[in-house]
Amino acid sequence: MRKPLIAGNWKMHKTVSETLAYLRRFRELVAGVEDREIMVAPPFTALYMAGQELAGTHIRLGAQNAHWAESGAFTGEISPLMLKECGVAYVILGHSERRHIFGETDEMIRQRLSGVLSAGLKPILCVGETLEEREAGRTMEVLETQVRSALSGFSAGELQGLVIAYEPVWAIGTGRTATPETAQEAHAYIRGLLGDLFGNDRAAEVRILYGGSVKPENIASLMAQPDVDGALVGGASLDPETFARIVKYG
């Protein structure tokens, strides 16, 4: 059985003091929720403090990106080892905002994935199509390209802990959500790709999250799908009360 993972991506929101206040409230709200994994990904500036606040709890700490090198002349970048020292367990990679706003390529994402794995951290690889690509009937083509490019050259053993997040770009922050059936179709296709690459047994172990306007009102129907193993939540994760409701779905 794949243990559900509910992850909050705060993007460029919350100062250090706001993060501390959030986490102290959120810890109270989700106390005792042990049958699913919970993760929050604050901005880089709050990670060290958040790691100290969450130490010894069942809430995992995530980062929103990572460079592939351990150190070097990469102004403005953060290495996986720096994140690990802060207490980070998961790293979000390939988010559509990184791809479409900042121009990250499939090859850059593959390199970042390699660096994260080398540091012993767990990557959450984001994949998903734009509205134009969906309307052109290219959803599965886009997913295949993104998945195969990111995982090229890795063995099944090297990808222990890998999580994939399907995030249709047209549903991120728009209020539009893929129907549970649409999400399931994409998730099943991604799991089939993993089976082709690494075998069905390994594919069956990988958790595939859905992301895109997830709310307390739609989380249960999404989680009822056989290949939806959790959620990567954006805007609705910024309020501890709302995010706790999502975490405690069902």
Side-chain angles (χ1 to χ4, degrees):
M1 291 292 292
R2 298 182 295 269
K3 188 173 186 177
L5 169 60
I6 309 297
N9 174 19
W10 294 2
K11 308 186 181 184
M12 199 175 72
H13 294 282
K14 299 195 183 299
T15 63
V16 173
S17 60
E18 289 170 340
T19 299
L20 180 60
Y22 178 110
L23 293 178
R24 289 181 173 171
R25 176 59 179 148
F26 185 64
R27 284 176 58 179
E28 297 174 354
L29 293 168
V30 298
V33 181
E34 303 285 354
D35 63 340
R36 59 206 64 177
E37 203 167 1
I38 308 166
M39 188 214 81
V40 293
F44 287 128
T45 50
L47 284 177
Y48 182 73
M49 181 281 299
Q52 292 182 311
E53 183 67 21
L54 295 178
T57 75
H58 65 302
I59 303 170
R60 302 286 179 259
L61 184 62
Q64 298 177 21
N65 205 2
H67 195 268
W68 50 83
E70 293 183 357
S71 62
F74 302 105
T75 299
E77 291 288 332
I78 306 291
S79 84
L81 290 184
M82 296 172 184
L83 298 175
K84 191 172 185 178
E85 189 177 46
C86 291
V88 166
Y90 287 93
V91 182
I92 300 168
L93 298 172
H95 191 280
S96 65
E97 290 159 4
R98 299 302 313 176
R99 294 177 188 265
H100 297 291
I101 298 175
F102 299 102
E104 290 194 10
T105 65
D106 289 330
E107 174 56 23
M108 290 172 66
I109 293 162
R110 191 197 68 79
Q111 288 181 277
R112 293 183 192 275
L113 183 70
S114 179
V116 164
L117 289 168
S118 295
L121 302 175
K122 298 177 181 179
I124 299 178
L125 171 65
C126 298
V127 297
E129 79 284 6
T130 65
L131 180 60
E132 292 75 17
E133 289 165 339
R134 169 161 284 274
E135 290 179 340
R138 298 183 55 225
T139 294
M140 302 315 179
E141 174 191 341
V142 171
L143 294 180
E144 180 164 8
T145 297
Q146 292 177 345
V147 170
R148 289 187 182 274
S149 297
L151 303 184
S152 173
F154 294 102
S155 68
E158 291 172 315
L159 292 171
Q160 293 298 321
L162 171 71
V163 177
I164 292 181
Y166 169 59
E167 293 199 308
V169 180
W170 48 270
I172 298 174
T174 64
R176 298 178 60 182
T177 309
T179 65
E181 294 76 20
T182 300
Q184 168 59 25
E185 181 183 31
H187 283 224
Y189 184 75
I190 292 168
R191 201 173 304 284
L193 290 173
L194 296 173
D196 290 343
L197 290 167
F198 306 111
N200 291 335
D201 288 346
R202 181 72 186 91
E205 298 172 352
V206 176
R207 290 178 293 183
I208 305 176
L209 315 183
Y210 172 77
S213 298
V214 176
K215 301 178 179 66
E217 294 76 21
N218 60 29
I219 180 65
S221 60
L222 289 163
M223 291 301 298
Q225 302 302 309
D227 287 297
V228 177
D229 306 311
L232 182 57
V233 186
S237 72
L238 296 176
D239 176 73
E241 313 279 343
T242 302
F243 191 43
R245 288 172 59 202
I246 293 173
V247 166
K248 295 190 282 189
Y249 72 91

